């Protein structure tokens, strides 16, 4: 499961995540497409975990999965 899958599973739009994390829409898109590695403050990591209703391990796995998508 990648970042986009986690977001959709939580029933969120990119705009929702952007607002909650106080970051650009393009950043969220780039993370999901594996173009860039998420760079977040600690509070943003925990907020993203809570938004996506997942564990930290699932979040890390989703980031890795998203990054692998770009490599292929």
């Amino acid at each position: 499961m990648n970042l986009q899958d986690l977001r959709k599973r939580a029933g969120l739009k990119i705009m929702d995540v952007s607002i909650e994390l106080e970051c650009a829409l393009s950043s969220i898109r780039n993370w999901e497409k594996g173009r860039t590695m998420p760079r977040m403050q600690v509070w943003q990591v925990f907020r993203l975990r809570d938004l996506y209703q997942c564990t930290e391990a699932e979040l890390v796995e989703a980031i890795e999965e998203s990054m692998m998508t770009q490599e292929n």
Side-chain angles (χ1 to χ4, degrees):
M1 186 169 289
N2 61 31
L3 285 170
Q4 185 177 34
D5 295 334
L6 282 180
R7 177 178 55 77
K8 287 183 176 182
R9 183 181 76 178
L12 298 168
K13 296 178 182 174
I14 291 177
M15 177 67 80
D16 301 326
V17 178
S18 174
I19 291 168
E20 289 292 328
L21 296 183
E22 299 174 13
C23 67
L25 284 167
S26 60
S27 294
I28 309 298
R29 283 191 197 104
N30 286 333
W31 299 346
E32 289 186 356
K33 293 179 187 253
R35 292 182 188 141
T36 58
M37 179 70 77
R39 292 187 182 159
M40 297 180 271
Q41 295 179 26
V42 174
W43 73 266
Q44 291 171 309
V45 174
F46 291 122
R47 185 67 188 127
L48 188 60
R49 178 206 58 196
D50 294 344
L51 283 171
Y52 288 178
Q53 302 169 10
C54 66
T55 65
E56 287 92 356
E58 288 173 316
L59 189 55
V60 169
E61 185 177 318
I63 290 169
E64 290 172 351
E65 183 74 25
S66 294
M67 295 305 295
M68 286 176 43
T69 301
Q70 180 65 23
E71 292 173 4
N72 293 328

